Amino acid sequence: KQEVTQIPAALSVPEGENLVLNCSFTDSAIYNLQWFRQDPGKGLTSLLLIQSSQREQTSGRLNASLDKSSGRSTLYIAASQPGDSATYLCARGGAAGNKLTFGGGTRVLVKP
Amino acid sequence: ETGVTQSPTHLIKTRGQQVTLRCSSQSGHNTVSWYQQALGQGPQFIFQYYREEENGRGNFPPRFSGLQFPNYSSELNVNALELDDSALYLCASSLVPGIRDEQFFGPGTRLTVL
């Protein structure tokens, strides 16, 4: 069974601190790994997509890495801001074009 | 370029009823996937449609069915609603499977079953 795990389930940091969010998956034969942000009661906003042939992707203050051998991906958010408060979800893409398998998410609170 | 849209935003039904949820794909996308997200959990894959044909299905019973239309919009139908069907239903669109596969999500439909 393909599983995706995100630990911790919740995280609280002071403004300005760097955020490190973890995602682990059981099957190394992934197609891609996608990180999303979700605000309460809202849909998902795509942050970064890492193809299986890549090791990392960067966008502004966000950097995501992928290590297939250890079954891990990490999302780094530099210099966190209160506006970064949200739930962050990682999702493993299986066969091309097929379903995403999501982790349970990490709920982040950035305190001013 | 328009994003993914879903309607309605909220819906309240009673147990045993039927419901239809709608999704318009992002411009240029021909693949749509539907997900169910229970409160406090990650989304669960229901099924995917590509060129009006089902292209993969998750662990959901047959009372969950779908359609994709020639303009790539889509419907999710749920028959014989149960209390556990209360959730946020998300649709996501993407380009032809096998290329970039980045999925873009709509705002969701919140379904409450009483």
Side-chain angles (χ1 to χ4, degrees), chain A residues 50-81:
Chain A
I50 312 175
Q51 302 289 0
S52 62
S53 58
Q54 299 174 316
R55 293 188 64 86
E56 67 176 349
Q57 279 287 332
T58 298
S59 177
R61 295 186 294 115
L62 275 60
N63 173 275
S65 64
L66 176 63
D67 185 341
K68 290 191 298 179
S69 62
S70 65
R72 292 183 180 182
S73 178
T74 303
L75 177 67
Y76 299 90
I77 303 178
S80 62
Q81 304 168 0

Side-chain angles (χ1 to χ4, degrees), chain B residues 13-50:
Chain B
K13 291 286 189 178
T14 56
R15 194 169 47 182
Q17 285 188 310
Q18 179 267 342
V19 69
T20 298
L21 310 182
R22 295 178 174 82
C23 171
S24 282
S25 298
Q26 184 165 314
S27 177
H29 287 181
N30 59 7
T31 301
V32 64
S33 303
W34 285 91
Y35 293 82
Q36 180 196 67
Q37 185 178 25
L39 199 61
Q41 299 182 20
Q44 298 288 318
F45 175 75
I46 303 175
F47 44 56
Q48 182 184 84
Y49 279 82
Y50 168 60

